Amino acid sequence: MDWGAILENALRSAVGLETIVYALAAIGLNVHFGYTGLLNFGQAAFLAVAAYGISITVATAGLSFWLGIVFGLLGAVVLALLLGIPTLRLRADYLAIVTIASAEIFRLVVRSTSLADETGGSNGLTGFSEGFYDLSPFTGGEYGFGPFRYSGRTLWILLVGWALVVLACLVVYLLMRSPWGRVIKSIREDEDAVRSLGKNVYAYKMQALVIGGVLGSLGGFVFALGRAAVQPDIYGTELTFFAYTVLLLGGAARVLGPVVGAVIFWVVLSLTDNILNQAIDAGYISQSLLSTSQIGQVRFMLVGLALMLLMIFRPQGIFGDRRELALDGR
């Protein structure tokens, strides 16, 4: 077995496109669930709205890349308002039901054949990312060192993506150290007590829903531009559940928790995938016991098992606080 190649792939996964996307999605969830106590099970919808906002604006309407960014962000704000207005005065489980349903509704709408001219249907859209790559200072060739060698296009999207992760973490850090952040965390602990102090709990929860949605939508931009394509089925419910896994791994209500969780999640997936593949090729694992086509599912089972053990022995995650992880249906 080539352990050098296995470790090299794991290191590349630690800084790869998927790590950035899930870190941004989990940072938004951290504002919703970690700090405010909002059960949002439709984070995939915020990423999809951003991705389709930019792709439809550029590829279908023929408008500029920057207008696509604006429409994607506005779409995330509108989605948060549509989700929050009917549900945030009710118990937390109503928001959970509405968000998981909305994500599926949005995915089914954009993949419908009746909207194929605008959204591309089940095939999705391409041809909208050139405006972004035209801004790149890297032209041709390969850049980097050691295992971190990338083409100019890949290096550009990785640098922009990690810059957005740093910016999102800084925004969350500043917000949670402000009076606004203290009110938000108080709402998570006991919103009746906060209401008794004259605070408009509904307005604060709506603001948190919008901010978390916009932060998550940044992951949608990176995902769409990094793949230079959007396809509706990659924004299914599993994206939201993986984002929750990332958040719980790193630790809820910790600024760097989502980033650490995303790195661990994708490194573990890379390690299990490469080790199992090479073990089968080397004959250490019989093909009658496990075939290469089954590895994709088995690695998620192993990650699920690791998450179960983590929840048993360290439920607060790597950097989390046990008191921050109370699933309290208010």
Side-chain angles (χ1 to χ4, degrees), residues 2 36 66 69 81 90 97 139 197 214 217 220 223 240 305 311:
D2 187 351
T36 318
W66 293 109
I69 297 291
L81 294 175
L90 306 174
I97 294 168
T139 55
L197 296 174
V214 169
S217 74
F223 211 2
T240 300
L305 178 62
M311 288 298 100

Side-chain angles (χ1 to χ4, degrees), residues 18-321:
E18 287 79 8
T19 302
I20 296 169
V21 171
Y22 281 87
L24 288 168
I27 288 170
L29 273 183
N30 202 20
V31 174
H32 291 160
F33 171 68
Y35 289 108
T36 318
L38 299 175
L39 285 176
N40 169 22
F41 283 111
Q43 188 70 345
F46 288 101
L47 277 76
V49 164
Y52 272 93
I54 190 172
S55 60
I56 291 175
T57 302
V58 177
T60 304
L63 300 176
S64 75
F65 163 77
W66 293 109
L67 271 178
I69 297 291
V70 171
F71 287 141
L73 292 173
L74 286 177
V77 173
V78 171
L79 176 62
L81 294 175
L82 290 176
L83 295 175
I85 288 173
T87 60
L88 290 181
R89 294 187 191 279
L90 306 174
R91 294 185 317 184
D93 42 0
Y94 288 95
L95 178 64
I97 294 168
V98 168
T99 50
I100 197 170
S102 66
E104 276 301 285
I105 290 170
F106 185 86
R107 185 181 68 83
L108 293 173
V109 166
V110 295
R111 82 188 307 277
S112 67
T113 53
S114 58
L115 291 175
D117 290 340
E118 290 78 22
T119 64
S122 58
N123 294 322
L125 290 170
T126 58
F128 56 86
S129 60
E130 290 310 311
F132 170 74
Y133 289 107
D134 287 344
L135 301 172
S136 171
F138 308 106
T139 55
E142 282 196 340
Y143 300 85
F145 58 91
F148 305 106
R149 298 195 66 80
Y150 303 100
S151 67
R153 286 172 66 95
T154 303
L155 182 60
W156 178 233
I157 186 66
L158 291 181
L159 286 177
V160 172
W162 280 110
L164 289 174
V165 170
V166 172
L167 178 64
C169 287
L170 181 62
V171 168
V172 172
Y173 174 78
L174 294 176
L175 282 175
M176 296 309 156
R177 289 177 63 88
S178 70
W180 183 86
R182 288 191 282 274
V183 173
I184 285 296
K185 287 186 276 191
S186 301
I187 290 174
R188 180 196 62 200
E189 299 303 323
D190 189 342
E191 66 179 65
D192 289 331
V194 176
R195 195 175 287 110
S196 70
L197 296 174
K199 301 292 185 183
N200 188 335
V201 170
Y202 176 75
Y204 277 97
K205 290 166 92 174
M206 183 66 78
Q207 292 161 17
L209 189 62
V210 171
I211 291 171
V214 169
L215 293 175
S217 74
L218 299 179
F221 288 130
V222 174
F223 211 2
L225 293 170
R227 296 166 64 98
V230 292
Q231 202 279 330
D233 292 335
I234 64 174
Y235 300 99
T237 52
E238 67 273 11
L239 192 155
T240 300
F241 295 139
F242 290 162
Y244 264 107
T245 303
V246 163
L247 178 61
L248 297 179
L249 275 173
R254 288 290 183 270
V255 173
L256 294 179
V259 182
V260 175
V263 171
I264 293 173
F265 183 74
W266 285 104
V267 165
V268 170
L269 283 181
S270 173
L271 285 173
T272 52
D273 184 69
N274 283 277
I275 289 173
L276 289 174
N277 262 310
Q278 294 206 21
I280 291 173
D281 290 342
Y284 295 126
I285 299 177
S286 169
Q287 292 245 15
S288 61
L289 183 65
L290 178 67
S291 66
T292 52
S293 62
Q294 295 172 319
I295 290 176
Q297 298 304 317
V298 169
R299 63 177 186 160
F300 284 113
M301 293 178 190
L302 294 175
V303 171
L305 178 62
L307 186 63
M308 289 170 61
L309 294 174
L310 185 72
M311 288 298 100
I312 293 171
F313 296 106
R314 191 172 173 80
Q316 67 271 35
I318 305 298
F319 291 125
D321 187 324

Side-chain angles (χ1 to χ4, degrees), residues 315-327:
Q316 67 271 35
I318 305 298
F319 291 125
D321 187 324
R322 185 186 292 265
R323 293 167 300 180
E324 307 275 13
L325 199 61
L327 272 171

